[in-house]
Amino acid sequence: MTRSLPVSLRDIILASERISGRVRQTPIVRSDALSERVGAAVYLKLEHQQITGSFKLRGATNAVLSLSAAQKARGVVAASTGNHGRALAYAAKAEGSSATICMSRLVPENKVAEIRRLGANVRIIGRSQDDAQVEVDRLVQDDGMIAVPPFDDARVIAGQGSLGLEIFKDCPEAATVLVPLSGGGLAAGVAAALKAINPGIRLIGLTMERGAAMKASLDAGHPVAVEEEESLADSLGGGIGLDNRLTFSMCRDLLDDVVLLSEPEIAAGMHHAYCMEREVVEGAGAVGIAALLAGKIDVTGPVVAILSGRNVDMEQHRSVINGATASTGKDTA
């Protein structure tokens, strides 16, 4: 790669070393069912088995561990669609700091309840992540809290990139990696790690059709605002920030493609994960499987799909397994 990246392979290696012992090195397993389906080896990176149920713990932990003692004493704050808030609450508690998590009313109640259980102060603000971010900015300005953004932060991106190092270590033959795409922290970090090691590897971002902010921004050539909508892949909701500093440019430069998925396709991914792989994953975590099932990936060699999270409302999950194809829980009948 000729373009210099704001987060380097060295940054990611240092982050991986920093968080070692505080996060799980999650396994990669071969999916015989998907391999037979697409005619090539398909591996699943079981990141939904992470301690807090999603990859977000990597970036949150690296960010908190990068703070000084004085900064930790001031407390950390973030906007979240759920999983980053849960991860930051856990990481802050582990380091003796306090966390305040600002979320919109679209965040599922199961995710809000878990963040509260971890001891964080929860503030529900508006109907979008952008609304929640306004409260974060106020708390930073008025109360001196330390912001730990969910994705557009070099410490967070480097932490998420540690997942890419694990993929290469356990599956060096991978030709394509399928990565859930929202604000771009995971995609940017994983792509930065893997492209630095193997420039020929393909990185494909996967997101839902409803309110895909990064896809809309990449198409426009600059960050744009989109209206957030309910989706089975609720963790992929939220804007990327009109003042995005890092993830937009990294996704633009590193991703080979972005694929959009419908609600029925996401539901099919969740259904397959449960019935064929015996894994409970949320909609955002199932998009890699969904894209393969829908025939939306040109498979030319071994594929790794990242199952990024499991923090799904179990009533919703049950309805999907029983035939629902949308976040409302309505089935096809």
Side-chain angles (χ1 to χ4, degrees), residues 4 35 68 242 327:
S4 177
S35 298
S68 67
L242 296 181
S327 59

Side-chain angles (χ1 to χ4, degrees), residues 5-27:
L5 294 173
V7 177
S8 68
L9 179 60
R10 182 175 183 275
D11 295 328
I12 294 168
I13 292 172
L14 289 174
S16 181
E17 293 171 349
R18 186 177 293 117
I19 67 178
S20 178
R22 290 177 167 84
V23 305
R24 289 178 184 152
Q25 292 193 23
T26 52

